[in-house]
Amino acid sequence: MSDLLVLVSGEAARRMKEGGQWGQITFRVSDPDNVGAVIAVSDGSNPVMPTPLHSTNHFLNAGHARGQHRWYRAAPELHLLWWHARNTGREVALEVFKEKVAGRWLSPSAGRNYVALTVATEAPAEYPDISIPEMVAWYVTPDAACPVAIDVVSAEHGFPQLAGHWPTTHLAESSIMLVGAGSIGGAAAHALASYGVGRLVLIDPDRLLSHNVVRHVSSAKHVGRLKVDAVKQELAEAWPATRVDTLPVDAIAAAHLIRPRLRHVDVVLCTADGVAARRVISHLARRARTDAVLACALQDGAIGEIIRLRPWSDHGCLTCHREALTARGAMDPEPALDLGYGTGTTHRPMTAVGGDLHLVAQVAAKTAVATVLERRGHPDQKLPGEHAILGLRPALGWAPPFDLNRSGDIRWLPHSPPHPGCPTCEEP
Amino acid sequence: MDLTKAFATFQRTVDADIDQVKLARERRDAFKRALKGEPGVLEVFGSGSLARSTQLKPVHDVDLIAVFDAAVHPEWGQVGDSSAEALEVVREMVKRLLGDNEGTVAELVRLAKPRDRAVKCFIDPPEQDDAFTVDVMPVLRQADNTLLVPSKRKRYWSTADPENLIAQVEERQQEWSHFRPTVRVLKQWRHGVPTKVKSLVMEVLALKCLPTDKTRPLALRAFFTAAAVEVNYGVVDPARHCGAIQPDLDTEVLRTALESARDIAEKACAAAADGDSDGAALLWRELFGDDFPAPEEKSSGTAVGPFLYVPRPVVDAPQG
C-alpha cells in the first residue's frame, strides 16, 4: 500500500493558522487510497466547524468521516525534525514530539492511534535554506510520531503558480473562439485551457455519438450530449480558470451569429470538417481583422495540417493559400466543391486515430496561443512560419510540400500572398 | 558596462535641449495668455508632442488649440466656408494681439498664415535653422467633450479628441516613469527606417505595445515584438475618430524594420541575462546607433570589436 497522504483545504489551513494552541480535526478518508482530507476543524474546545473540500466533486466526498484527531501549535524545530525524518525514513520519539507541541495533549493508546497536524508559521523563515513547511502531518502512536505526507491546497495553486514563468496574465485576458468541438477541437479546447486562456467560445452543432468516442476527449458517459456541452463540463472540472461559452450552431448556416463574436476574440481556431466551413471562417475572420488558425488531418490521417491566416495586406486567405498549392501541383481541390448546390458530400468521415488528432490539436493550440502572445510582446513565441505540415503516417510519393517521409516531422512553410481579385482578401 | 547608465546617457542625446523646451513653453504661454482674454474664446490649451512631453529635438513647433464659443459663431461647424472663416478669425486675432508690429499683448509673430486646419505663426527669422512656429487651431467643443476641428481644404469640420491621447500618455507615464522618454527613443529610432513613418505612428504603437511593468531593455524588446505584429492591423487614432494616422504608411517596410529591431533586442536581452553587459551594450548600439555608449575598453587594452553571440549549452536538469 502507498504511504498515507493528508489533504488540507485552504480554509482548514487558515483556521488552524489563525487559531489558538490546539483543536480537533475530523477527516474524510478512503482506506483503499490511504488518503484522508480534513473536513472539519475546531479551535480548542470550541465547536468543530466544517471546512469543505477544495473540489465539490472530489472522490473523498464519498469517503468515511472519522473524528478524534488533533492539530497542535508547534515549535519550528519540530518541523525540521519532520523534514529530516521524512528524508531518512525515521520516526520522532513520542516524548520529543510531545515536548515540542502546545495545547491539550491527546495520548495515543493501543488501538487508538491518531493523525496530528502541527502548525509552526515561523518554520519557513527559521530555516530559509530548506523548504520547511509551516504545516506538517504525523501519525501518532504510543511509541512515536511518524512523519506523514501532506498537501495543503493554497489559493496560490493553479495558474498563479506559473506567474513569473509563463505570461499567465496576458493569457487570462485572452479569448479564443473554437469552431468545431470534434476530435481535434475537443483536444484543442483542453490544450488551450491548459495554457491558461481565459475565455473559450465553443461552436459546434453536433452531438457526441458512440462512434465518436474512440477519438474524442470526452468519454462514453457523455454520449448523446452536445459536444460543446460535454467539453464545457470537462473543462469546468479540469480547468476552472477558463470561462467557456457555447454556441451549438453550424458555422455556415449561422455565420451571422459568428461574425459579431469574432470581433471580441483574439484568435479563432477552426477545426471543423470540410472545405466549406473552413472557407467561411477564413472569410469571416479576415473581415473581422481577427487571426485565424485552421487545423485538420489530410489523407485519411496521414498528415496533420495547421494554417495560420493573418489579415495582413500581404497575407492571403485560405482560398488564396489553397490555390497557390493547387497551382504548384501539390493539392487536388475538394471535388464536392464543383458539384451543384445541394449535391455531393460536405466532408470525408474521420478515419485517423485519436492520439494523432490530439497531437494536431496540441500544435494548433500552441499556434493559437503563440499568436496571442507574440502580439503581446513575447519574442519567444514567434513561429517558424504560417503553415505547418505534420507527419502522422506519411507515405512516399506525395508532392512537395507534403513529401514528409518521417512520422513526427513538422515542416513549417511561409504564407501565400493574396490573389488579385480575391473576394475575401480585397477590401469590399 | 552598466546598462542602466548607458540607457540614461543615450536618453540625454535623444531628449530635446532643456533651454529649447523652456523657450517653446514660454512662447506657447504667451499665446495662451493673449488668446484667453479674447471674447468668444472659451479655452486655450496645448496639444501635440510638447503637450504630451514626447517631443524630439529640435523643438521647432508648438500646437495650440483655441476652443471658441459656438453661441458666438453659430455658423461654424457647418459644411462650407466656415472652416476658412474660423482660420481667418484666428489669423486676425494673432496678428492683432501678438504681431511683431504693434501687437497689443506681445510683439512676437512676424507672419501668420492659415493652413488647412490651423494658422501657422512664424516667430523666428526665415533664415534661422529650425525656425520656430506655433500652430493655432480653432475648434468647437461638442456635448460629448470631443472637438470639432476645421478643414479649409475639405470645407467641413470633423470630430477629434486630442485630449484623449494626452490623457493616455499621462496615464502610462504615471505607471512607468520611463514611458515618455522611451517614446522619444522610439521616435528617434524611426528615422532609421527606410520609409517615412510619422512620429505619431510610433507614439500610438507605443501606447499599444510598450509595457509599463518592465525594465527599459525588456520593455523595448516587448515593444519591437508586439509592434512588428500590431502594425499590420493598422495604426489608427486611439480615440477612434480620425481613422488611420498615416494612410500612406508602407506597413511591410516598417514591419521588417521592427522585426530586425526585435531580433537585435532579443539578443541584447539574452546577453544581459548571461551577465555580458558589454555584449548587450554593443547590440543596443547596433540598434540605436553611435549615440548609444560603447563599452569602455578593457584595461588590457583590448579594442572593443563587434559583438559575437556565443550559444549557451543547455543544462541537463530534466523535469518530468
Side-chain angles (χ1 to χ4, degrees):
Chain A
M1 177 183 275
S2 57
D3 290 345
L4 174 63
L5 171 68
V6 171
L7 301 177
V8 184
S9 70
E11 173 60 12
R14 186 191 64 75
R15 286 213 204 152
M16 287 182 265
K17 278 189 265 184
E18 294 176 2
Q21 299 297 304
W22 69 282
Q24 300 180 63
I25 293 177
T26 303
F27 286 97
R28 199 175 283 283
V29 301
S30 166
D31 290 327
D33 296 292
N34 208 14
V35 176
V38 177
I39 57 162
V41 171
S42 81
D43 182 8
S45 50
N46 291 325
V48 180
M49 303 296 287
T51 54
L53 289 173
H54 48 277
S55 174
T56 52
N57 55 0
H58 196 276
F59 76 97
L60 279 176
N61 281 320
H64 302 292
R66 289 188 191 146
Q68 297 300 310
H69 298 273
R70 272 285 199 270
W71 69 268
Y72 300 108
R73 187 78 52 195
E77 55 264 32
L78 181 64
H79 286 207
L80 182 64
L81 287 175
W82 176 90
W83 180 83
H84 187 258
R86 283 279 299 163
N87 285 307
T88 55
R90 296 182 185 179
E91 301 169 343
V92 174
L94 189 68
E95 285 311 306
V96 173
F97 181 81
K98 189 177 172 184
E99 229 174 67
K100 305 285 184 193
V101 300
R104 185 184 296 174
W105 173 249
L106 175 64
S107 283
S109 57
R112 187 65 197 96
N113 302 331
Y114 66 93
V115 171
L117 302 186
T118 57
V119 179
T121 50
E122 318 84 359
E126 194 86 8
Y127 306 101
D129 297 335
I130 39 180
S131 299
I132 301 294
E134 55 185 1
M135 180 173 289
V136 300
W138 308 82
Y139 187 69
V140 184
T141 70
D143 301 320
C146 309
V148 169
I150 184 171
D151 185 27
V152 180
V153 179
S154 160
E156 298 298 309
H157 289 175
F159 280 102
Q161 281 174 265
L162 300 180
H165 303 287
W166 178 246
T168 51
T169 306
H170 283 166
L171 282 168
E173 292 166 356
S174 72
S175 187
I176 293 182
M177 177 187 285
L178 183 58
V179 178
S183 305
I184 297 178
H190 280 264
L192 290 168
S194 76
Y195 279 115
V197 171
R199 178 172 167 259
L200 291 178
V201 183
L202 305 182
I203 297 177
D204 194 316
D206 293 345
R207 290 179 184 275
L208 187 73
L209 301 179
S210 53
H211 71 85
N212 298 135
V213 174
V214 69
R215 300 183 187 89
H216 205 274
V217 286
S218 299
S219 63
K221 71 176 183 180
H222 290 291
V223 167
R225 303 181 82 178
L226 287 167
K227 288 177 179 174
V228 290
D229 290 340
V231 173
K232 180 177 180 174
Q233 183 183 330
E234 288 169 341
L235 290 176
E237 292 171 4
W239 303 103
T242 299
R243 191 182 125 208
V244 180
D245 297 326
T246 57
L247 188 63
V249 298
D250 177 82
I252 304 169
H256 62 292
L257 297 177
I258 293 175
R259 187 179 292 113
R261 286 171 170 82
L262 276 171
R263 296 188 188 281
H264 303 290
V265 298
D266 296 283
V267 174
V268 52
L269 171 52
C270 177
T271 64
D273 292 321
V275 174
R278 287 156 53 90
R279 281 188 175 181
V280 166
I281 294 304
S282 164
H283 181 82
L284 294 178
R286 180 91 183 189
R287 284 282 180 270
R289 299 192 67 74
T290 299
D291 296 300
V293 175
L294 278 58
C296 69
L298 297 168
Q299 293 295 129
D300 290 329
I303 297 170
E305 186 193 53
I306 292 114
I307 303 174
R308 177 166 67 175
L309 300 171
R310 293 172 133 176
W312 300 2
S313 58
D314 58 336
H315 286 224
C317 67
L318 176 66
T319 306
C320 294
H321 193 65
R322 284 302 195 227
E323 282 178 8
L325 287 170
T326 303
R328 287 162 56 190
M331 190 160 242
D332 273 338
E334 164 66 58
L337 289 175
D338 296 329
L339 295 175
Y341 182 78
T343 64
T345 56
T346 54
H347 62 84
R348 290 170 166 226
M350 179 57 80
T351 50
V353 67
D356 276 352
L357 297 171
H358 299 178
L359 178 60
V360 173
Q362 291 285 345
V363 180
K366 177 68 186 174
T367 303
V369 165
T371 301
V372 171
L373 290 180
E374 187 188 7
R375 198 171 177 183
R376 297 297 294 264
H378 298 275
D380 57 0
Q381 297 300 303
K382 301 188 300 281
L383 293 176
E386 305 297 321
H387 180 194
I389 298 164
L390 180 57
L392 302 175
R393 304 179 69 193
L396 294 177
W398 288 322
F402 298 103
D403 55 338
L404 300 169
N405 57 12
R406 293 288 185 273
S407 179
D409 198 4
I410 299 185
R411 180 177 293 167
W412 284 90
L413 306 159
H415 66 274
S416 299
H419 277 185
C422 171
T424 294
C425 296
E426 294 199 346
E427 292 297 320
Chain B
M1 158 168 271
D2 182 332
L3 276 177
T4 306
K5 278 187 189 163
F7 267 97
T9 304
F10 174 54
Q11 188 73 55
R12 284 194 289 277
T13 71
V14 172
D15 291 347
D17 176 68
I18 191 88
D19 290 334
Q20 208 182 25
V21 173
K22 196 172 157 208
L23 177 65
R25 290 196 166 129
E26 282 171 6
R27 287 171 163 177
R28 176 197 67 189
D29 292 345
F31 272 69
K32 284 166 85 169
R33 274 195 308 277
L35 296 172
K36 264 184 182 170
E38 281 296 286
V41 176
L42 300 176
E43 307 166 54
V44 184
F45 59 87
S47 67
S49 60
L50 193 69
R52 300 189 297 272
S53 296
T54 56
Q55 73 284 354
L56 271 187
K57 68 178 181 184
V59 180
H60 49 66
D61 61 0
V62 171
D63 297 305
L64 270 184
I65 287 175
V67 182
F68 282 78
D69 188 347
V72 176
H73 302 282
E75 71 285 8
W76 290 13
Q78 309 294 318
V79 175
D81 295 333
S82 64
S83 293
E85 185 191 318
L87 292 166
E88 185 53 31
V89 165
V90 169
R91 190 199 68 78
E92 184 280 325
M93 207 175 261
V94 167
K95 202 71 187 159
R96 173 166 50 80
L97 298 169
L98 296 162
D100 61 358
N101 187 11
E102 298 179 355
T104 55
V105 175
E107 296 185 345
L108 199 61
V109 177
R110 66 176 176 78
L111 178 66
K113 287 180 76 171
R115 297 284 172 90
D116 182 37
R117 293 189 178 278
V119 175
K120 190 167 272 299
C121 305
F122 296 84
I123 294 177
D124 297 321
E127 65 275 12
Q128 184 175 318
D129 287 344
D130 298 320
F132 193 89
T133 60
V134 176
D135 286 5
V136 184
M137 182 163 67
V139 304
L140 299 173
R141 194 173 285 285
Q142 303 186 100
D144 64 357
N145 229 22
T146 58
L147 303 176
L148 265 184
V149 303
S151 171
K152 191 168 77 170
R153 201 181 315 128
K154 293 179 182 165
R155 304 182 77 236
Y156 72 76
W157 298 62
S158 52
T159 297
D161 191 1
E163 289 155 300
N164 175 287
L165 185 57
I166 294 170
Q168 284 200 47
V169 171
E170 171 65 30
E171 193 181 313
R172 301 301 163 86
Q173 179 66 20
Q174 294 295 325
E175 292 170 7
W176 190 46
S177 63
H178 293 302
F179 185 79
R180 281 174 174 145
T182 307
V183 170
R184 295 196 285 267
V185 165
L186 295 172
K187 284 183 169 184
Q188 172 91 354
W189 170 84
R190 89 186 195 282
H191 290 312
V193 178
T195 188
K196 181 191 164 196
V197 181
K198 283 188 173 179
S199 70
L200 193 56
V201 166
M202 297 308 297
E203 196 156 336
V204 172
L205 278 175
L207 279 176
K208 195 130 192 178
C209 304
L210 184 64
T212 56
D213 59 351
K214 300 188 187 310
T215 62
R216 272 181 287 193
L218 294 179
L220 283 164
R221 183 184 69 175
F223 170 82
F224 287 120
T225 303
V229 176
E230 196 61 46
V231 70
N232 300 284
Y233 299 84
V235 184
V236 300
D237 169 23
R240 306 218 162 259
H241 295 298
C242 305
I245 286 168
Q246 187 181 343
D248 65 346
L249 176 66
D250 191 332
T251 303
E252 288 167 39
V253 172
L254 177 55
R255 177 177 76 212
T256 302
L258 288 163
E259 285 171 346
S260 300
R262 172 200 66 197
D263 293 344
I264 296 171
E266 197 177 359
K267 284 184 196 166
C269 290
D274 278 353
D276 183 5
S277 50
D278 282 1
L282 283 172
L283 284 157
W284 288 117
R285 188 174 162 88
E286 181 185 336
L287 178 51
F288 291 125
D290 292 347
D291 284 341
F292 196 94
E296 289 167 12
E297 287 189 14
K298 303 292 185 211
S299 54
S300 62
T302 310
V304 172
F307 173 64
L308 184 64
Y309 189 75
V310 181
R312 290 164 289 166
V314 171
V315 179
D316 186 10
Q319 297 171 298

